[in-house]
Amino acid sequence: MSTSPAKSSMRDALVAAAFQLFLERGYEQTTVDDIVKTAGVGRRSFFRYFPSKEDVVFPDHEQALAEMTAFLAASADTDDPLVRVCDATRLVMRMYAENPTFSVQRYRLTREVTGLRTYELSVVWRYEKTLGDYLRTRFADRRDGTLRANVVAAAVVAAHNHVLRAWLRSGGEGDPLAEVDRALAFVRDTWNPDGPGAEPPADREDEDVVVVITRRNTPMWRVVREVESSLGNG
Amino acid sequence: MSTSPAKSSMRDALVAAAFQLFLERGYEQTTVDDIVKTAGVGRRSFFRYFPSKEDVVFPDHEQALAEMTAFLAASADTDDPLVRVCDATRLVMRMYAENPTFSVQRYRLTREVTGLRTYELSVVWRYEKTLGDYLRTRFADRRDGTLRANVVAAAVVAAHNHVLRAWLRSGGEGDPLAEVDRALAFVRDTWNPDGPGAEPPADREDEDVVVVITRRNTPMWRVVREVESSLGNG
């Protein structure tokens, strides 16, 4: 009998072999047989870890989805639901940020292979659904609670993906966790402007007084634009 | 030589034949050959209209995407961008609402076939990208303009799909165009509470002048709340 590698190391070896081959000869030109031969394991070992060749490209999403689901299930009624879904979304970014080289390689692969792009869309949809399920429960007693839950979940996912795509396109430069905090704060403040994420006041210059004079029929968006430009953050 | 049916009627015949067979024997069990035989046309005719069997399930999305793109391209700089993307999104709902029976049949088919669900996700992504491209241009001079564009586009699509799914699940009951107006108003009011879509001002009292004085470090939401309450619509 040969020695059997530990479960996780065999899984890692399969992922490493798959990516080596995908980069060398292309995704379409690589078969599962090629992958198991390179990894030095049997064909059945591959399918024990991955239902299909596509799944080996995204080996961590199932775990991230499970973590997100558990994190949301552990939420207390006193938790701000917006804060909770933003924190849950950070778990996904952390997964990408833990291994920038792998994340960027996969991103480039996904750009080239249509089947992987659609697979990725289905993963994104599962994250959005997980966040939406949680928010629907939390907003159950609100008028338009379901609509609000679906819209907020989509907005959170869009903010996350906005940062993720920019980071992957840049080749993994910078700190995507800091960036995603900023982007998620934009979403949180949209619906919950005075929540725990609101900016604390900073320095003496902040004490300046701004006066806005407006006619009563001025649309609010015009007032906001005027105030923003006076405050220098328009 | 046999007489050749008009282009659109041959296309319609292919769609009708495909759905007849999908409903009778299932999507997976129906081949393109079965479809062309039932429609009484040649195999090449099928591929002239549809790149693949999946495409025949969603025959109108290309046209709806083209209409949406043209509608957004025809936008003037004076148009409120939020109103414009909401109107663009209505075009899609109109497509579904024009043929409730077909839309509901397709929805049931899509629930059963994984490949069609992922195809549908890629179509949804193209709508979202089309709206996002337009908003990115319109928000180009804003700080966080790209983030805002992506988040708003996702929110608009989520609101549309919220109504669409409920309508399809109900078997096509009620007026989805009225429902989508209500859902889109929720999104529009989130970012643009007093835009052109808001109630018009009514009387002489509108000429009053409101003065708001604020410190520079006052959060925007506090300024807005103050102005709103001064204007009597808080």
Side-chain angles (χ1 to χ4, degrees), chain A residues 118 121-122 125 144 146-148 150-151 154-155 158-159 162 165 182-183 186-187 190-191 193-194 201 205-221 223-224 227-228 230-234, chain B residues 118 121-122 125 142-144 146-148 150-151 154-155 158-159 162 165 182-183 186-187 190-192 194-195 201 205-217 220-221 223-225 227-228 230-232:
Chain A
T118 54
L121 286 175
S122 71
W125 168 242
D144 280 335
T146 311
L147 170 63
R148 179 180 290 261
N150 293 343
V151 168
H162 167 82
R165 273 196 305 271
R182 213 173 56 84
F186 170 81
V187 173
T190 296
W191 279 284
D194 51 349
E205 201 192 40
D206 295 339
E207 298 299 318
D208 292 359
V209 166
V210 173
V211 177
V212 174
I213 300 176
T214 175
R215 273 193 299 279
R216 186 172 287 274
N217 64 346
T218 308
M220 181 60 62
W221 62 272
V223 176
V224 170
V227 176
E228 279 181 339
S230 303
L231 294 173
N233 59 0
Chain B
T118 54
L121 286 175
S122 71
W125 167 243
R142 295 185 78 130
R143 198 169 62 97
D144 280 336
T146 310
L147 171 62
R148 179 181 290 262
N150 293 343
V151 168
H162 166 81
R165 274 195 304 272
R182 213 173 56 86
F186 170 82
V187 173
T190 296
W191 279 285
N192 199 10
D194 232 35
E205 205 187 35
D206 295 341
E207 297 301 315
D208 293 358
V209 167
V210 173
V211 178
V212 173
I213 300 176
T214 174
R215 273 190 301 278
R216 187 173 285 274
N217 65 346
M220 182 59 62
W221 64 268
V223 177
V224 170
R225 185 177 292 177
V227 176
E228 280 180 339
S230 304
L231 294 174

